[in-house]
Amino acid sequence: MAVPKEVLRRYNELVDLLNKYDYYYYVLDRPLVSDAEYDRLKRELEEIEKNYPEIIRPDSPTQRVGGKVAEGFREAPHRIPMLSLENAMNENELRQWLRKIKDQFPDAEFCAEPKFDGTSLELVYENGILVRAITRGDGTKGEDVTANAKTIRTIPLRLRVDSPPVRIDVRGEVLISRRDFEELNERLLREGGRTFANPRNAAAGSLRQLDPSITASRPLTFIAWGVGYYEGISFEDQCQILDTLDNFGFKTSRPRKRCSDIEEVVRYYREMEEKRDSFDYEMDGIVVKVAQLSIQERLGATSHHPRWAIAGKFKPVERTTRIKDVVYQVGRTGIITPVAILEPVEVGGVVVSRVSLHNFDQVRQMDVRVGDWVYVRRAGDVIPEITTVIKERRPPDTKPIEPPDRCPVCGGPVVKEGAYLKCINMACPAKQAGQLEYMAKVLEIEGLGESTANAMVKHGLVKDPADLFALTPRDIMKLPGYAVRSATKLYEQIQRARRIPLDKFITVLSIPGVGKETARLLAEHFKTLDRFLNATESELLSIRGIGPQLAKNIVTFIRNPQNRSVIEKMLRNGVEVLPVEKEGEEVKESPFAGKRVVFTGELEKLTRSQAKKIVESLGAKVTSSVSRSTDMVVVGKNPGRKYRDAQRYGVRIVPEEEFYEMLRQAGVDIS
Ligand code: IVH
């Protein structure tokens, strides 16, 4: 059937338009059209392809998901071997390498780039069309994963230039962001599947799925860092290669820096290591390449790695170590947590010697034992955790970690609640100390940390939260390390904490399932302690955000005579509960309610933590990095990268003065 000219014209227009929209959305992070508009055009395109399958272009967005590879991947050679990199493990080794290059070639300059930690991939383009994607494999040949690579939206199916080279092999890294990695693992866990130990494995595992629709469902990205074979194009310089790849429609490694001397490279290395946690993708170092290709050629390569490039590694975020012992920690709610005591090991710049194993179900699932060798990981602000037990290295004398049948602190009875084991003895000193410490944290009582809380319980000064408010300086002086001055200081802190807003009062009760947020909902609804204590299940259920389980927990708690007597004792001991607002009073509309706020730069009138507390009290959520879902970025003096991110994502930017004005509107005057 002949294809009407008008249809063909519209078809070509649609393919080009959708590819352009994809490029702006995925590569530049700057959407040009709404999702609805995009979907409309895509449907129009699909309709044409259904009627005229003979005109389907290889770079049509519909070609991103193909069929399954039934019997595994085919082997495919690399025209030019994909070598690996030599490592410099610290600044010193990096300097030595740079010095050696400069001694041989005083004119050498460097292109310094981030080394994102993923899995490498080579993309072969012939006359601008993606024809093959090959994993690194052993360096000379890898696996043909073309169908899977096509599902990655940052991989162009056609190079975005009018006259593409006859052939160019583009190399880069397939990555998954830290956040997407965590979400993927949570999803896999919910679906009962195996999780990945780190983002690198998640990226590699997702790329090597026999069913490309699985790869398509994984949030992978491709960042180009170089080229292999090329023909019909010429280059002189590494930075120029990356700029060209930008123009071809790739995301390329950034922020990169052209450096002419050693100190400049070292500064870049330090700066990147310092900022590594602020990037979406895990970075395990930088890569420094001699910029001029003519010098690269003269330096040549060994059989393993080029002599013109080096990886400047950062401190590792993952290390192996051994579990020496296990202890059981009892928290304020009675949950017994197994904690592994490790052979101390430095992970990402911090010495780690204890790590939580979360619960005994997890211990059983991982089959982790005392004596095992394990991988410990600490990426970003994430608390260190064991990601893998190295079963191959298991010594013969390991000891299984069993759940205790009595509370390890008080010897009281324990029960299993879901995945958790709980001590149910109300008078368990571990629970008392945990609760005391928690209360001190919520009420911001300075100087009452873990050790003081433990000592207060151990010396019999505090058995329940109410006892704290009856302490005299003389009592406090009975604790080790306290003298008149320090005891008086702590006493004054406690006195200051007597006046407690209702939401905080509810928080410190430690009702199962009731944290800060729920406590606020309850306080806003009931307004006074008295009304809260007389709540019924049906009234609780009428509050948005309170479900049946929570309602039941609350009623059980407030009806329990022991709990009631502790609350009464708190009031007798001088605690004053401040009602949230008087009834009938209008709540001021807060411009921060429900908003996601990010701060960057220094504010003149407030510290970061004051500003954070204020906007949180007005209903905002403060986050540390900017994403599309951020509602506003408050910008102070010398703003950082978050300011640029805000501009990039089109997030509302609020200058400092305007921020104070918004606070005034919400009833908070800073002057
Ligand atoms: S260049 C011949 N540049 O690191 C030069 N590699 O440990 C080859 N990588 O296999 C590599 N970011 O998968 C280069 N900006 C970057 C990179 C980078 C990450 C990976 C790549 C390579 C591995 C070597």
Side-chain angles (χ1 to χ4, degrees):
M1 200 198 321
V3 184
K5 227 161 102 191
E6 186 44 36
V7 172
L8 191 61
R9 193 200 58 76
R10 177 64 177 158
Y11 177 70
N12 285 330
E13 185 178 60
L14 284 171
V15 173
D16 293 342
L17 207 54
L18 287 165
N19 279 339
K20 174 170 160 186
Y21 292 161
D22 273 349
Y23 172 68
Y24 272 80
Y25 186 89
Y26 291 103
V27 177
L28 303 182
D29 269 337
R30 250 169 40 210
L32 289 182
V33 287
S34 67
D35 291 357
E37 170 71 359
Y38 184 94
D39 289 343
R40 195 180 62 74
L41 297 173
K42 181 105 182 274
R43 272 197 303 276
E44 190 185 342
L45 175 89
E46 283 163 354
E47 192 59 29
I48 300 180
E49 291 190 343
K50 207 171 84 197
N51 295 331
Y52 305 98
E54 66 275 28
I55 64 170
I56 296 179
R57 278 171 39 174
D59 63 334
S60 159
T62 60
Q63 301 305 295
R64 288 203 179 265
V65 179
K68 287 191 192 187
V69 194
E71 69 291 346
F73 301 108
R74 264 182 311 146
E75 219 177 71
H78 298 289
R79 260 272 177 96
I80 294 179
M82 285 182 85
L83 301 181
S84 61
L85 287 172
E86 194 183 359
N87 288 331
M89 300 313 286
N90 50 46
E91 190 179 305
N92 217 353
E93 291 185 14
L94 180 62
R95 275 180 193 282
Q96 277 173 19
W97 183 84
L98 292 162
R99 186 73 274 150
K100 220 171 68 194
I101 300 282
K102 275 285 193 190
D103 284 347
Q104 280 173 276
F105 296 96
D107 294 340
E109 296 197 356
F110 303 98
C111 184
E113 308 162 21
K115 183 174 183 305
F116 290 117
D117 197 9
T119 183
S120 47
L121 185 68
E122 177 169 80
L123 305 170
V124 180
Y125 288 86
E126 285 175 4
N127 299 311
I129 298 288
L130 174 68
V131 294
R132 226 166 13 267
I134 314 167
T135 60
R136 177 169 182 273
D138 64 4
T140 56
K141 56 183 183 328
E143 289 174 317
D144 182 329
V145 290
T146 313
N148 292 357
K150 280 184 177 171
T151 69
I152 300 174
R153 309 299 281 258
T154 37
I155 293 183
L157 299 180
R158 174 198 290 269
L159 302 179
R160 289 179 57 82
V161 276
D162 291 335
S163 38
V166 178
R167 171 162 170 170
I168 185 163
D169 297 356
V170 177
R171 294 173 173 182
E173 211 71 5
V174 173
L175 301 164
I176 188 165
S177 75
R178 267 197 286 262
R179 194 183 310 156
D180 287 334
F181 157 71
E182 308 233 326
E183 275 174 22
L184 173 63
N185 262 359
E186 275 165 28
R187 196 178 89 203
L188 292 174
L189 206 61
R190 271 200 309 276
E191 293 166 358
R194 275 173 60 99
T195 54
F196 292 106
N198 53 45
R200 177 179 6 100
N201 291 2
S206 300
L207 184 64
R208 293 187 66 264
Q209 292 287 331
L210 290 180
D211 178 355
S213 68
I214 298 182
T215 309
S217 75
R218 304 277 169 86
L220 300 177
T221 213
F222 177 82
I223 294 189
W225 45 248
V227 292
Y229 179 79
Y230 51 86
E231 194 183 316
I233 189 169
S234 63
F235 297 110
E236 275 161 26
D237 175 298
Q238 165 68 13
C239 296
Q240 179 207 5
I241 292 179
L242 294 182
D243 292 344
T244 306
L245 295 179
D246 272 331
N247 293 334
F248 282 179
F250 290 94
K251 255 201 213 185
T252 55
S253 38
R254 280 182 197 286
R256 55 178 173 264
K257 186 157 197 254
R258 195 191 174 92
C259 307
S260 46
D261 66 41
I262 296 179
E263 290 316 311
E264 240 179 309
V265 177
V266 170
R267 268 205 302 279
Y268 175 84
Y269 172 69
R270 288 185 187 160
E271 197 188 333
M272 288 299 119
E273 176 150 30
E274 206 167 284
K275 287 197 196 147
R276 67 194 291 191
D277 292 346
S278 68
F279 291 90
D280 293 344
Y281 301 98
E282 207 155 271
M283 197 191 288
D284 62 342
I286 62 165
V287 181
V288 186
K289 301 170 187 172
V290 170
Q292 302 98 321
L293 300 197
S294 56
I295 303 182
Q296 285 190 4
E297 247 163 60
R298 293 176 61 190
L299 280 160
T302 70
S303 58
H304 299 294
H305 50 75
R307 290 199 192 88
W308 46 264
I310 194 154
K313 301 284 286 223
F314 297 154
K315 296 189 185 79
V317 293
E318 196 167 56
R319 297 285 304 272
T320 57
T321 186
R322 227 168 62 95
I323 300 184
K324 288 200 303 195
D325 198 2
V326 68
V327 295
Y328 301 109
Q329 209 164 280
V330 185
R332 74 188 157 91
T333 55
I335 290 177
I336 303 170
T337 309
V339 176
I341 306 296
L342 307 173
E343 207 70 73
V345 62
E346 192 190 308
V347 191
V350 170
V351 175
V352 178
S353 55
R354 298 163 69 93
V355 36
S356 169
L357 298 172
H358 305 297
N359 59 60
F360 292 94
D361 281 5
Q362 170 132 347
V363 166
R364 193 160 32 83
Q365 254 168 26
M366 292 179 85
D367 180 25
V368 53
R369 304 183 194 174
V370 172
D372 266 333
W373 284 92
V374 290
Y375 275 105
V376 176
R377 200 180 144 71
R378 196 193 71 87
D381 325 329
V382 184
I383 297 162
E385 58 175 3
I386 292 176
T387 54
T388 316
V389 178
I390 313 172
K391 301 263 168 68
E392 301 76 33
R393 248 179 114 176
R394 174 167 281 169
D397 55 347
T398 55
K399 262 200 347 251
I401 298 170
E402 302 288 358
D405 45 19
R406 318 262 335 151
C407 171
V409 175
C410 68
V414 294
V415 294
K416 185 114 195 287
E417 246 185 53
Y420 297 99
L421 200 64
K422 248 175 145 174
C423 163
I424 52 169
N425 171 19
M426 282 236 340
C428 173
K431 276 162 90 166
Q432 291 170 349
Q435 213 170 33
L436 186 57
E437 192 190 337
Y438 179 68
M439 182 160 82
K441 201 169 124 204
V442 175
L443 303 182
E444 296 171 49
I445 304 177
E446 260 173 59
L448 213 180
E450 186 182 348
S451 61
T452 306
N454 280 334
M456 283 180 171
V457 171
K458 194 169 150 207
H459 286 75
L461 294 184
V462 174
K463 289 201 172 60
D464 61 44
D467 289 337
L468 180 71
F469 297 98
L471 293 182
T472 61
R474 191 177 286 275
D475 291 330
I476 299 172
M477 277 171 65
K478 290 184 193 140
L479 301 175
Y482 279 87
V484 180
R485 263 183 59 159
S486 49
T488 311
K489 214 163 130 196
L490 180 54
Y491 171 78
E492 281 166 1
Q493 280 282 330
I494 298 168
Q495 298 314 303
R496 198 171 321 142
R498 277 173 195 283
R499 290 165 54 81
I500 309 176
L502 180 57
D503 58 332
K504 287 201 171 173
F505 187 86
I506 297 176
T507 309
V508 298
L509 294 178
S510 296
I511 303 169
V514 179
K516 231 167 51 184
E517 299 302 322
T518 313
R520 182 142 63 196
L521 290 179
L522 293 167
E524 273 164 13
H525 179 87
F526 290 104
K527 309 251 186 327
T528 68
L529 177 63
D530 215 39
R531 288 191 48 201
F532 170 64
L533 292 177
N534 289 310
T536 61
E537 215 165 304
S538 62
E539 184 171 8
L540 285 163
L541 281 172
S542 74
I543 305 173
R544 248 184 73 192
I546 309 265
Q549 183 60 51
L550 216 47
K552 199 175 260 155
N553 289 356
I554 295 167
V555 170
T556 312
F557 188 95
I558 56 182
R559 302 255 164 91
N560 179 312
Q562 273 165 324
N563 293 336
R564 290 300 278 252
S565 76
V566 172
I567 293 172
E568 276 153 27
K569 192 165 139 200
M570 281 174 89
L571 301 176
R572 270 204 314 279
N573 287 352
V575 167
E576 195 184 331
V577 181
L578 311 177
V580 163
E581 288 144 16
K582 294 209 181 67
E583 270 189 77
E585 202 177 71
E586 277 287 316
V587 186
K588 277 209 173 152
E589 187 58 53
S590 154
F592 297 99
K595 295 286 186 322
R596 287 172 161 266
V597 180
V598 172
F599 288 97
T600 179
E602 294 153 39
L603 297 177
E604 227 162 81
K605 298 184 183 165
L606 295 171
T607 66
R608 183 70 66 86
S609 79
Q610 287 169 328
K612 180 167 182 271
K613 269 193 203 143
I614 294 172
V615 298
E616 276 175 350
S617 75
L618 296 169
K621 192 170 159 73
V622 176
T623 58
S624 58
S625 63
V626 179
S627 74
R628 273 181 227 287
S629 58
T630 306
D631 293 295
M632 65 184 98
V633 175
V634 178
V635 181
K637 258 212 311 254
N638 303 323
R641 170 193 139 87
K642 292 180 222 167
Y643 179 45
R644 288 197 304 281
D645 285 349
Q647 291 173 318
R648 196 154 64 103
Y649 289 126
V651 171
R652 175 176 176 195
I653 291 169
V654 178
E656 187 165 1
E657 273 315 311
E658 188 182 333
F659 172 59
Y660 296 134
E661 184 48 46
M662 287 170 72
L663 288 180
R664 264 191 292 282
Q665 250 178 52
V668 181
D669 207 344
I670 313 284
S671 40

